[in-house]
Amino acid sequence: MERIPILQMGDLLLVTIQVDMHDQLALTLQDDLSERIQRTSARGVLIDISALDIVDSFIGRMISTIATMGRLMDASTVVVGMQPAVAITLVELGLTLDGVRTALNVERGMHLLRQNDNAEAP
């Protein structure tokens, strides 16, 4: 079965999507991420979609669902590398990606996740 690799960097998980997402792959990623968040107690998930030229409504909803699941498990989600055409398509489809923060690149995304950790520290 095809899977998208999930890398652990300290208390963060990094997902770089390098292949065209189809519905089953998105569902598998959702399951794999929720299991990894639970198993590693990850505090953040960074999803790099810079290689994606197209994000349809199902994939958009799955990204939003992943962020919601992560939030329920105490992990923030940041999506990075969104192409302008993808952003336009999501707007045209009326998808807001609730609970998903975005950044232009991985460096800025990591900064957002680290900033969130510092804000929550006692």
Side-chain angles (χ1 to χ4, degrees), residues 26-116:
L27 291 170
T28 301
L29 176 60
Q30 175 184 308
D31 293 343
D32 290 350
L33 263 175
S34 61
E35 186 273 328
R36 284 291 291 274
I37 291 169
Q38 187 273 327
R39 185 164 42 95
T40 64
S41 299
R43 302 284 296 168
V45 176
L46 189 137
I47 302 173
D48 180 2
I49 64 169
S50 58
L52 296 182
D53 294 325
I54 297 171
V55 173
D56 64 16
S57 61
F58 182 79
I59 302 302
R61 284 193 306 275
M62 290 309 299
I63 291 171
S64 186
T65 299
I66 287 169
T68 300
M69 287 183 350
R71 197 169 47 252
L72 290 171
M73 298 172 76
D74 198 27
S76 301
T77 301
V78 175
V79 173
V80 302
M82 187 177 300
Q83 301 294 328
V86 170
I88 290 167
T89 300
L90 292 175
V91 169
E92 288 173 349
L93 291 172
L95 295 175
T96 58
L97 300 183
D98 294 331
V100 179
R101 293 186 298 167
T102 59
L104 290 176
N105 56 43
V106 172
E107 182 179 355
R108 288 184 179 187
M110 294 293 271
H111 178 74
L112 270 177
L113 289 171
R114 293 288 180 213
Q115 192 176 32
N116 189 56

Side-chain angles (χ1 to χ4, degrees), residues 15-26:
V15 178
T16 301
I17 301 172
Q18 297 290 321
V19 296
D20 286 333
M21 289 285 285
H22 53 79
D23 295 357
Q24 186 56 52
L25 186 57

